[in-house]
Amino acid sequence: MSPPPPGKDRLLSLYRKMVLIRRCEEQLAKSHQRGLIHGACHTYVGQEAIAVGVCAHLRTEDAVFSTHRGHGHALAKGVSAEQLIAELYGRATGCSRGRGGSMHLFAPEVGMMGTSGIVGPCILQAAGAGYSFRLLKRDNVGVAFFGDGAVNNGAFHEGLNLASIWKLPAVFVCENNEFATEVPFKYSAGNPTVASRAASYGMAGVDLDGNDVLAIHAAATDAIERARQGGGPTLLECRTYRTRAHAEGMGDFTYRTREEVEAWKPRCPIARLRAHLLGAALASETELANLDAEISAEVEAAHGAAEKASWPDPACAATHVFAGPARPVTTPPTPAGAREISYMQATLEALSFEMKHNPRIFVLGEGIGQRGGNFKTTAGLYDLYGPERLRDTPISERGFVGLGGGAAMTGSRPVIDFMFADFVLDAVGEIINQIAKIQYMSDGRIKMPILLRGCIGIGHSAATHHSGNYYPMYAHFPGLRVVVPSTPYDAKGLLHHALRCDDPVLFLEHRELLSLKGSTPEGDYEIPFGQAAVVREGKDVTVVALALMVQHVLKASATLAAEGISVELIDPRTVAPLDVDTIAQSVRKTGRLLIVDEAFMPFGIGAEIAAQIADRGFDDLDAPVRRLNGVHTPTPYSPTLESAVVPNVEQIAQAIRSLVSE
Amino acid sequence: MAIPITVPRLGWNMEQGIFAGWLKADGAAVRAGESLFTLESEKATQDIEGFDDGVLHIAPDGPRQGDIVPVGAIIGFVLEPGEAIPALTSPAAAPPKKEMLAATERVPATQGPRRTEPASSPRARRTAAKLGVDWRHAKGTGQTGRIRERDVLALTAPAGSTRRIIAERMLASQRSTAPVTLMTTVDATALVKLRKQWKVVSDLIPTFTDLLVKLAASAIEKHPLLNSRWENDRVVASGGVHIGIAVDTEAGLLVPVLRDVSTLSLKDLAAQTRDLIERARQRKLSANEMQGGTFTVTSLGAFGIDAFTPIINYPECAILGIGRIRRCPVVVDDAIVIRDQVTLSLTFDHRIADGAPAARFLQTLSVLIEKAEFV
């Protein structure tokens, strides 16, 4: 079925958009030379037909994710010239409020969900938007624009495969301009035809002349319609050429020749459509000249307004790292004598409850469907909520984490169950560069409600790829909540809270605690982040511990009580935010602080707590702050080796004795 | 409208480049997209594109080939035909405000039980322990009132290092000598009478201490062992009798030295002593004036003290402590009479002198005092 050719109005509208992009880019190139642009500037000159041809079919609610060369996509999706230019000028009126510049354009109001300085994530995010739209039963599509540089990247492989196996409403638009920055595609690709790769993933692939807006427009009609109808994703390869340097101010003729660039210039997509309009007598020279002049005036006005626009208030430089202030939450006290359930059952109860009450929640992970999760994290839920909400994944961590990020940006609430925290290291770029940063980059206009859960911890000879702790690493980065519960009661309350907050949460469960039983209320309740638990009150020494170490310190404390040493044990429960107040108050009482942490010592939680207490608790200290950590080594397998690298109860007791006698 | 031609930033962090020459002549017609000049950056040499049609005006005082040019500098204009040449000015755009965001994670005041003693730094407490003072008496001058090391030092030595020097010397004396203190009470009635007679004729009369210093010098002449010092495992005799006078000052104990006491008249001795004490209290003594003593006299009589155990002014052999002069009933020839009494406390280094020679010195001195015998 071939769609009807676009009429005059549509063609003029395509022409208009292409000229708008070109004029804006020319203005930006000039402004870069004049010093009005403070950082990078990647122009889209020569590639205008692609953004315009595809976006002509998109509704405001359709979601576009793009790459570092994204000015054209933003304009084609509906960002105004003034918002774009002001962003590059670093002004408060810029589409990202001056937070991003050329490579980080956000305008969720028009479905421009962001451009990225990292090559590849947009593919996963567009697939994630597709997942949201399916789950929420909307006939919208997710569209990713990316260059040929992205197709040799894992995100391309994982994203296309996931989109294909789940038949997601997504369109992947590869703008093959022959160079990944300055490395030729024909050099980098074993298979230099991008479109043909679609077959490897079982999806349609179309090879297009990227400078022919009519061809793109027609192919996009099919692809977007297929997506809306549930027919799954399409890969469009648009062969094109950028006729300006990779970035303004960069040399252009070390990797390609002036002649080659000059040879492409006459193949300008705008000139081509212009010739078509004149040739088919759809518009006159005068009409087009008037249109050109109108757009030039529009861009000039946009430039003038942007140059006059105010600078962002420096006081806003660190706002919107997280979604809004925390909701007030009242937590019920641990009921004495309440029923005892395991840590695992406690989190399953919370997840089950939240899934029942919030249809936007879905779970992604390996074996979390019918199997119910490697650690029974989703046992029984598949039967209740079906495959769309309990989605087994291929072993494709970067793919489904990045996809989860895109889903969270577009209205759903993914729970990523990655079994072992070690596995997700393949996806850390998605977590740190995308998931953690997007609320900030979008000036708080996009939320990122995603839960990333998995097991941590040393024990039972799991060896080094199933034993890592990793929470200090995540806590280092702004934008992430890092939760490390130590009891069934805490795990349940914190998981409820995590599934009701709009921030990305890393929920890390120590494997050796999963069968620990403890009193847990039956109803739902929340424990807010950043509120430590005083697990045990004492007067001689403050011990801070997390996860399994909390249990170890409790045992050591019982021994020490018999020796007359009174231990106050504090479990921060969340590493980010970290409740230093409670620790400081305790140190004010005891004058002594020991941090017991299974994770590594260098640059770890203990170092952070020690530094903060050295500052605010300086006058309270009666002894040096001490740390007891797991040994700084990969985790070995043999039981004798394994137990040699983790603090045990006796070592903890000894460390406390030593500190008390300081 | 004249369009300025500026030096662009090539790459991420260029601040200046080398101007490598114009590609068009002054006055030439130029078109958008044509290269106007060549610029060298650290990374490469690039032809710089113009974005406008017009006539090139090269600033006459603009850069020449090989000149270093800052990014943003205006080096010419593209003019409309016939347009006047504008003055070279820097871009007027206000630069963005650049200041560090105030620390957002300012530490809130900690709740909890209030401390019962003033805040002090561990370093201050360590120093206090070393100096043997109570840091709780120091006045905290830290931003939050915390007692810092400097506050402890101020407590112990308000005028600087005097206290530390005293501490070191006292400790050195205790560590390096074998001190023994002998005490005896002497009849000073004759001395008191003598002073009363002098008082009638002059205000500037010697103090009791002056008199005792003079008599001590006489005794030393007869017992030079008490005037020697211990050096390199042997006793070394001193050349003259130079007596240190212990003076109580605000900064602490100072010991100016009275030279060649044996040769001084009582009048000169009194005048010199008065001068030394006065200048000690004003902190005007030179280091020289506090060195070279061979024997020391210290008096606590003014404070009502009778006997005490003075510490030897190391490396001297002995120090004489003088108590108050008091009127007491004493037995003289089987009768109880009222006499002026003074107790002498002599600490000597047993390494140098044994008990008997020291006692003999004290005996000689006692006789001199009782007779008020000034040669």
Side-chain angles (χ1 to χ4, degrees), chain A residues 327-413:
Chain A
R327 283 178 299 112
V329 164
T330 46
T331 308
T334 325
R339 79 203 161 117
E340 297 225 327
I341 58 169
S342 73
Y343 191 104
M344 217 157 49
Q345 286 169 305
T347 58
L348 181 56
E349 269 187 12
L351 178 62
S352 183
F353 179 96
E354 295 297 330
M355 287 194 78
K356 182 177 173 189
H357 291 88
N358 185 350
R360 291 166 181 255
I361 296 176
F362 69 101
V363 186
L364 294 178
E366 292 145 15
I368 55 83
Q370 258 176 326
R371 183 190 175 206
N374 192 47
F375 297 112
K376 297 287 166 217
T377 47
T378 54
L381 298 181
Y382 183 87
D383 291 338
L384 291 171
Y385 305 114
E388 197 133 284
R389 298 186 65 199
L390 288 127
R391 182 67 84 175
D392 275 328
T393 65
I395 299 173
S396 189
E397 273 75 15
R398 182 177 178 194
F400 61 77
V401 169
L403 183 148
M409 292 164 77
T410 47
S412 58
R413 181 181 283 276

Side-chain angles (χ1 to χ4, degrees), chain B residues 50-73:
Chain B
F51 291 93
D52 302 280
D53 297 342
V55 176
L56 175 65
H57 166 70
I58 295 175
D61 52 351
R64 312 210 173 274
Q65 193 167 343
D67 283 358
I68 290 174
V69 284
V71 168

Side-chain angles (χ1 to χ4, degrees), chain A residues 26 29-40 42 91 103 244 248-252 254 258 265 307 311 313-318 581 584-585 588-589 612 615-622, chain B residues 3-12 35 43 46-52 72 91 93-97 99 101 104-115 119-122 125 144 146:
Chain A
E26 287 169 352
K30 190 171 167 175
S31 297
H32 182 272
Q33 205 172 80
R34 283 187 48 202
L36 289 170
I37 293 170
H38 314 281
H42 301 119
R91 307 305 170 113
M103 289 187 274
R244 293 193 67 80
E248 288 306 301
M250 276 176 75
D252 210 17
T254 50
R258 194 181 295 272
K265 281 185 180 169
E307 208 177 6
W311 296 102
D313 181 353
C316 301
D581 266 345
Q585 276 169 39
R588 168 158 283 199
K589 179 167 64 171
Q612 294 218 36
D615 182 353
R616 57 194 293 186
F618 182 71
D619 295 324
D620 300 323
L621 287 169
D622 201 23
Chain B
I3 297 157
I5 300 167
T6 47
V7 175
R9 176 167 51 84
L10 310 177
W12 285 102
S35 295
K43 282 172 78 179
Q46 274 185 51
D47 293 346
I48 305 303
E49 173 190 3
F51 291 93
D52 302 280
K97 191 163 87 175
E99 58 190 42
L101 187 61
T104 47
E105 296 185 20
R106 211 37 234 156
V107 176
T110 306
Q111 303 293 307
R114 288 306 312 169
R115 57 172 52 257
S120 58
S121 79
R125 294 194 297 272
T144 57
R146 179 183 299 120

Side-chain angles (χ1 to χ4, degrees), chain A residues 102-332:
Chain A
S102 176
M103 289 187 274
H104 310 280
L105 306 171
F106 288 86
E109 303 78 13
V110 295
M112 185 64 207
M113 303 307 288
T115 68
S116 173
I118 309 295
V119 167
C122 61
I123 297 172
L124 305 172
Q125 289 160 0
Y131 205 101
S132 273
F133 297 146
R134 255 262 293 287
L135 183 74
L136 304 175
K137 302 196 179 358
R138 297 182 192 152
D139 66 343
N140 291 112
V141 293
V143 177
F145 290 97
F146 49 93
D148 48 281
V151 309
N152 297 319
N153 180 289
F156 176 85
H157 167 64
E158 297 191 26
L160 264 64
N161 188 56
L162 292 174
S164 174
I165 62 171
W166 297 333
K167 282 202 171 323
L168 298 178
V171 179
F172 302 107
V173 185
C174 173
E175 303 176 327
N176 182 351
N177 67 13
E178 300 192 9
F179 296 96
T181 308
E182 293 162 355
V183 178
F185 185 61
K186 60 178 183 246
Y187 159 84
S188 339
N191 169 5
T193 320
V194 176
S196 72
R197 298 188 186 193
S200 316
Y201 305 106
M203 74 169 73
V206 189
D207 191 346
L208 293 162
D209 179 346
N211 287 21
D212 181 354
V213 72
L214 298 179
I216 307 231
H217 187 269
T221 310
D222 290 344
I224 290 164
E225 222 22 56
R226 183 181 304 123
R228 292 201 204 283
Q229 302 301 327
T234 305
L235 171 64
L236 303 180
E237 178 187 9
C238 308
R239 294 170 183 273
T240 184
Y241 199 85
R242 59 171 163 77
T243 51
R244 293 193 67 80
H246 166 72
E248 288 306 301
M250 276 176 75
D252 210 17
F253 304 118
T254 50
Y255 62 99
R256 62 184 191 180
T257 64
R258 194 181 295 272
E259 294 68 37
E260 192 184 313
V261 176
E262 290 305 320
W264 268 93
K265 281 185 180 169
R267 296 164 72 174
C268 167
I270 298 173
R272 196 154 155 184
L273 179 58
R274 199 171 210 278
H276 174 75
L277 286 166
L278 294 172
L282 293 166
S284 68
E285 281 278 7
T286 320
E287 209 175 335
L288 294 182
N290 287 343
L291 196 52
D292 291 349
E294 190 186 304
I295 292 163
S296 293
E298 181 184 333
V299 171
E300 202 160 307
H303 156 74
E307 208 177 6
K308 285 190 198 74
S310 56
W311 296 102
D313 181 353
C316 301
T319 56
H320 300 299
V321 176
F322 293 104
R327 283 178 299 112
V329 164
T330 46
T331 308

